[in-house]
Amino acid sequence: MMITARELNRATLSRQLLLEREPLTVPDGMRRVVALQAQHPASPYVALWNRLTGFAPAELDAAFARRSVVKATLMRITLHAVHAEDYPVFRAAVQPLLYASRLGSRFAAAGLTPADADELVPELLAFACQPRTSAEMQAWAEKRLGAEKKDGAWWGLKAYAPLHHAPTDAPWSFGPRPSFVAAGTGPVPEDGEHQALRALILRYLAGFGPASVADMAQFALVQRTHVRTALRALDGAVEQFQGPDGETLFDLPGASRPSAETPAPPRLMAMWDSILLAYADRSRVIPPAYRPLVIRRNGDVLPTLLVDGHVAGVWRPAGGGIEATAFQPLAPAVWDGLAEEAQSLTALLSDREAAVYSRYHHWWGKLPEAEVRML
């Protein structure tokens, strides 16, 4: 069965609750969208505002506080917000990645080995049975290993050990100085990594499918050979499609795949929104010409205008409203829709942080000439 590029786009929007906001609780919404990138504390809030009917930021505050939604280093070695029930399997699936990325480099340069990590992690988690600041974690490492090893040890362990970020501060639950608490998950069982990767792939397809092997590998930052092995083990649980370029795509039977003609409303997407980063082929959402404008070389991913399901520009708070920069001509009805979204977003931000993302405004000076409107 073939699927077009536009059908892929509409499938993504449907799975990510971007065709129509839905009346879900915050935890249920998190389950539906699978994972939200959370490098910036505000981004999960803006992402859920885009997706849930009547989203109240206090509901996400409460979910983080009671840990029904958790923030942790997971896929692509980046911070994500996920449903608490998803965390153990996601963590197990990416454990080999965390092992390879965090138990070498500065950890090894401090004279520490993976065997040392296996010994240190249970002790660290016992210490983190209650929230601990980075300074407290480093003090623990210094007491345990000495001053010359503490920095390298904490650099490796803060991502490798199963730790959640603990809420610390307003306006977005997490402040600039992180605090950590033990996740409460035990060691990964034998063959658990393989089982977990299969489970992660199924969750990924539920939230982002249809997708290629390269897309799945990009999302988790795992080797494509491991994805192919997992897909073979999932034979019967997934079905195949032929993508617009002839590549093989995988999806869950019966998953939502709306018509290519399904209308897609305009949206003001958060920085690092997951739909911009969850694929190897990002053209299903980002026109190739715009990719270097919204995904900077250092990894910053700007807050974008989504028009007809595709990136069409960027936005930032300014002058008590939203400044929208369009990379292409937009119809009056589209500007009206963006203005309505901007009014709602401005109300959300005014209660929390009206100038959110202001530290990234230097990127606007590097944008090409475009139409700019205050909304």
Side-chain angles (χ1 to χ4, degrees):
M1 185 184 304
M2 295 186 64
I3 188 166
T4 68
R6 192 169 174 87
E7 288 170 337
L8 277 181
N9 172 269
R10 290 321 195 240
T12 294
L13 299 181
S14 175
R15 311 289 176 88
Q16 286 293 301
L17 310 182
L18 292 169
L19 288 179
E20 185 177 359
R21 289 181 171 93
E22 297 200 18
L24 301 171
T25 66
V26 163
D28 287 347
M30 283 299 315
R31 285 285 291 173
R32 286 283 294 277
V33 301
V34 181
L36 295 174
Q37 293 216 181
Q39 291 98 314
H40 194 288
S43 286
Y45 290 81
V46 178
L48 289 178
W49 163 79
N50 269 304
R51 291 162 166 88
L52 303 184
T53 303
F55 169 67
E59 294 181 14
L60 184 52
D61 294 340
F64 280 133
R66 64 175 179 265
R67 294 171 73 182
S68 58
V69 171
V70 298
K71 177 177 175 177
T73 299
L74 288 168
M75 288 72 69
R76 300 186 299 283
I77 327 174
T78 55
L79 289 169
H80 282 80
V82 301
H83 193 287
E85 293 178 2
D86 279 331
Y87 173 81
V89 69
F90 290 178
R91 172 63 175 69
V94 300
Q95 178 163 295
L97 169 66
L98 299 176
Y99 182 99
S101 67
R102 287 292 163 161
L103 299 189
S105 187
R106 292 170 60 184
F107 189 82
L112 298 166
T113 67
D116 292 321
D118 289 340
E119 181 178 347
L120 290 167
V121 164
E123 299 176 28
L124 179 69
L125 296 179
F127 179 69
C129 63
Q130 63 186 53
R132 303 287 187 179
T133 65
S134 288
E136 289 173 320
M137 290 295 209
Q138 288 177 310
W140 173 87
E142 181 174 3
K143 182 178 180 181
R144 177 68 173 75
L145 299 167
E148 70 282 359
K149 294 184 177 182
K150 69 177 178 68
D151 290 339
W154 175 230
W155 178 87
L157 292 175
K158 70 179 177 181
Y160 177 68
L163 294 166
H164 294 163
H165 282 231
T168 56
D169 200 5
W172 307 108
S173 287
F174 302 95
R177 295 180 177 83
S179 183
F180 302 85
V181 65
T185 56
V188 177
E190 186 176 352
D191 194 42
E193 294 165 5
H194 302 291
Q195 294 178 29
L197 181 58
R198 294 194 290 271
L200 174 59
I201 285 171
L202 292 176
R203 292 287 293 119
Y204 171 77
L205 291 176
F208 295 96
S212 67
V213 168
D215 292 329
M216 291 178 255
Q218 162 65 24
F219 176 74
L221 204 59
V222 300
Q223 294 181 11
R224 296 183 187 186
T225 54
H226 295 331
V227 173
R228 292 189 184 99
T229 299
L231 287 168
R232 285 195 293 270
L234 289 169
D235 184 39
V238 297
E239 57 185 358
Q240 297 185 23
F241 296 83
Q242 182 179 341
D245 295 327
E247 75 276 34
T248 300
L249 304 177
F250 299 85
D251 204 5
L252 303 182
S256 174
R257 290 183 288 272
S259 162
E261 303 310 313
T262 304
R267 291 285 185 260
L268 301 171
M269 307 301 289
M271 282 198 76
W272 290 285
D273 195 278
S274 298
I275 65 164
L276 306 183
L277 296 168
Y279 304 99
D281 180 6
R282 296 171 183 173
S283 66
R284 76 167 66 189
V285 176
I286 310 176
Y290 299 161
R291 177 170 171 170
L293 302 180
V294 300
I295 301 180
R296 311 308 301 191
R297 289 185 178 180
N298 74 336
D300 286 348
V301 182
L302 304 186
T304 55
L305 312 179
L306 207 65
V307 174
D308 192 30
H310 295 84
V311 168
V314 295
W315 66 267
R316 60 178 176 173
I322 300 296
E323 178 191 278
T325 300
F327 301 149
Q328 64 197 47
L330 301 180
V334 172
W335 281 115
D336 289 344
L338 289 170
E340 185 176 347
E341 290 295 302
Q343 183 177 10
S344 174
L345 179 57
T346 299
L348 175 85
L349 297 179
S350 65
D351 288 339
R352 294 273 168 150
E353 185 185 7
V356 70
Y357 303 143
S358 60
R359 64 175 290 191
Y360 303 98
H361 284 187
H362 62 279
W363 291 123
W364 268 251
K366 302 179 185 301
L367 296 175
E369 185 176 347
E371 181 175 5
V372 179
R373 291 194 186 188
M374 286 298 303
L375 305 177

